[in-house]
Amino acid sequence: MVHIRLASVALLHSLLLTYGLAEDTKLSESLVGCDEVSCPKENAHDRCTVGEKTFLGIGLSRIPNVPSTLEGLSLIKGVNISEGGEGKRKFNSAYYLGTPSELDVNDLSGCVVAFNDPPEKQFDGPVKTGKDRNITEVQAARGTCPDIIEQECIDTLTERARSVTNATSNGGVCATLERELRRNAFEECRDLGGKGRGLGNFTVTSFGNLSTVRNSTDCWPVKPKSDDLALITENTAVVRDIYILT
């Protein structure tokens, strides 16, 4: 178990796949962490080194609600936290796409949108009595994405991405999608990147720009272990509060 902040959310919109995937390997829950993938321990704490990056914890989830030809793709987030000045912490995140071993990531065509700012909503947790006010004990707070992100926001973004895909005939779909997201205010997502900040800071990455990661003998945070990983994007945010991801 690692204490981290829900500092970003990734929305995967896949545009085309012509390759059949192997049967999905079930996870014990929709969102799992180091316990599921058997991260090595260092002084009783989880550690997962992927390539040259060492994480204090990881999150793994299958990409849901996709056509049968897309089953088996996973989204993995690795997290590391370093101390900053004035009691702040640098929250370093890396996102990976997990793919079945028989699939070449170059056969994929699509875009990944990563929203990097923490949403306005917080996970529920026990209330701790403070000197001036009562606050949520964030280190004991926990939950899942639907507790934080409104479904109407997800539906709106998905529909807009679908519209861009259908209206774009050339290879510039990801650039077009990024322009569309930046120039429009989405009322349904007004607090996604913080209170009243709309989508906040986000990046759009094309599948064509993904870099495959060499399999690590230390920790391979995906199931089945034969799956491959490709780095999608990285982000560093300076934060104060922390939450739990298990």
Side-chain angles (χ1 to χ4, degrees):
M1 181 179 296
V2 60
H3 301 289
I4 64 174
R5 183 182 181 107
L6 180 65
S8 51
V9 179
L11 170 67
L12 176 67
H13 179 65
S14 183
L15 307 180
L16 175 64
L17 178 65
T18 58
Y19 199 103
L21 300 183
E23 183 179 355
D24 191 11
T25 299
K26 300 296 183 183
L27 302 177
S28 61
E29 298 182 58
S30 60
L31 176 63
V32 298
C34 264
D35 288 347
E36 185 88 2
V37 299
S38 303
C39 292
K41 299 285 186 180
E42 182 178 305
N43 298 324
H45 298 292
D46 293 321
R47 291 291 186 274
C48 184
T49 299
V50 180
E52 298 181 353
K53 306 179 191 303
T54 298
F55 303 114
L56 302 179
I58 64 97
L60 164 65
S61 180
R62 293 285 183 257
I63 298 172
N65 304 321
V66 296
S68 59
T69 51
L70 292 176
E71 291 178 358
L73 296 182
S74 303
L75 186 64
I76 299 95
K77 178 178 180 178
V79 177
N80 199 350
I81 302 174
S82 56
E83 296 295 333
E86 300 179 355
K88 297 179 180 179
R89 299 184 181 188
K90 290 184 178 180
F91 186 94
N92 308 299
S93 302
Y95 290 97
Y96 298 89
L97 179 69
T99 58
S101 58
E102 64 270 25
L103 173 66
D104 187 340
V105 71
N106 293 321
D107 292 336
L108 292 170
S109 177
C111 312
V112 179
V113 184
F115 299 97
N116 299 312
D117 293 334
E120 166 66 12
K121 285 189 175 181
Q122 299 181 2
F123 292 142
D124 291 330
V127 175
K128 181 169 58 177
T129 302
K131 181 178 180 180
D132 300 317
R133 60 189 177 92
N134 295 335
I135 59 175
T136 300
E137 189 174 359
V138 294
Q139 292 191 9
R142 60 188 301 154
T144 59
C145 288
D147 300 325
I148 301 296
I149 309 168
E150 299 289 347
Q151 184 61 46
E152 61 179 353
C153 173
I154 297 174
D155 293 342
T156 297
L157 294 176
T158 302
E159 179 57 35
R160 187 59 57 91
R162 184 178 294 113
S163 297
V164 169
T165 301
N166 294 336
T168 306
S169 58
N170 56 34
V173 175
C174 294
T176 303
L177 176 59
E178 181 172 4
R179 288 195 299 270
E180 183 72 10
L181 294 178
R182 293 194 185 282
R183 73 184 182 186
N184 285 281
F186 298 90
E187 179 61 24
E188 300 85 352
C189 304
R190 57 188 174 276
D191 297 329
L192 179 63
K195 186 173 180 59
R197 298 190 65 244
L199 302 183
N201 175 38
F202 65 89
T203 57
V204 181
T205 305
S206 169
F207 278 157
N209 296 328
L210 303 187
S211 55
T212 303
V213 181
R214 181 175 297 179
N215 199 324
S216 169
T217 56
D218 174 78
C219 181
W220 200 238
V222 68
K223 290 183 71 175
K225 295 295 186 178
S226 58
D227 278 9
D228 295 324
L229 294 180
L231 180 64
I232 299 171
T233 188
E234 299 178 80
N235 179 68
T236 298
V238 178
V239 300
R240 289 182 180 274
D241 299 328
I242 50 179
Y243 298 92
I244 281 183
L245 174 67
T246 57

